[in-house]
Amino acid sequence: MRIISGTHKGRKINPPKNLPIRPTTDRAKEALFSIIDNRYYFEEKNMLDLFCGSGNISFEFASRGVEKVTSVDNNKNCIDFIDKTAEQMQLNISTIKTDGLVLFLTFLKAEMSDSKECPFLICIQFQLNDLNFFDKS
């Protein structure tokens, strides 16, 4: 895995072998960001990476200038790896260890109901972001 563009262009990311992940390939990531680059100006944006795994997408967004990235995964080892790597690269990535599907479904249920009773932190997490990226493989 490598970062394709931005301040850390070309930098390799080497997650531990024991992480339960299937990282987005460089080719798929290039195609994805080719589309997104033409629609968004990344500076001053906030981004949520749900089911972040190795943080591959989070690191790419942060390298391209996204102001604040929040990475969510339920695996402690993934979260620890992202925290350590973000600190080494001096990227503004915060992590949350929780089940992303439960987080998303709770938000979705609240948004679709008439009561609009969404746990405060969950609603804020989704509503404060300019970009929400979900990749549940």
Side-chain angles (χ1 to χ4, degrees), residues 63-75:
S63 177
R64 290 173 185 243
V66 169
E67 191 171 300
K68 183 174 187 327
V69 175
T70 304
S71 301
V72 178
D73 203 275
N74 67 348
N75 186 285

Side-chain angles (χ1 to χ4, degrees), residues 71-86:
S71 301
V72 178
D73 203 275
N74 67 348
N75 186 285
K76 182 184 181 327
N77 293 331
C78 289
I79 294 297
D80 290 346
F81 172 73
I82 294 167
D83 286 339
K84 178 183 167 193
T85 306

Side-chain angles (χ1 to χ4, degrees), residues 64-137:
R64 290 173 185 243
V66 169
E67 191 171 300
K68 183 174 187 327
V69 175
T70 304
S71 301
V72 178
D73 203 275
N74 67 348
N75 186 285
K76 182 184 181 327
N77 293 331
C78 289
I79 294 297
D80 290 346
F81 172 73
I82 294 167
D83 286 339
K84 178 183 167 193
T85 306
E87 184 179 332
Q88 289 172 349
M89 290 196 266
Q90 298 179 329
L91 295 172
N92 189 13
I93 299 176
S94 59
T95 55
I96 300 173
K97 184 196 171 300
T98 192
D99 186 332
L101 188 56
V102 171
L103 186 75
F104 177 66
L105 291 176
T106 302
F107 172 74
L108 195 59
K109 181 180 175 186
E111 285 294 302
M112 295 178 75
S113 74
D114 291 332
S115 67
K116 299 289 183 191
E117 292 180 18
C118 183
F120 178 74
L121 291 176
I122 293 173
C123 283
I124 291 299
Q125 189 59 58
F126 282 94
Q127 293 170 347
L128 288 182
N129 293 293
D130 302 295
L131 300 162
N132 291 308
F133 185 82
F134 307 160
D135 181 12
K136 177 71 173 144
S137 301

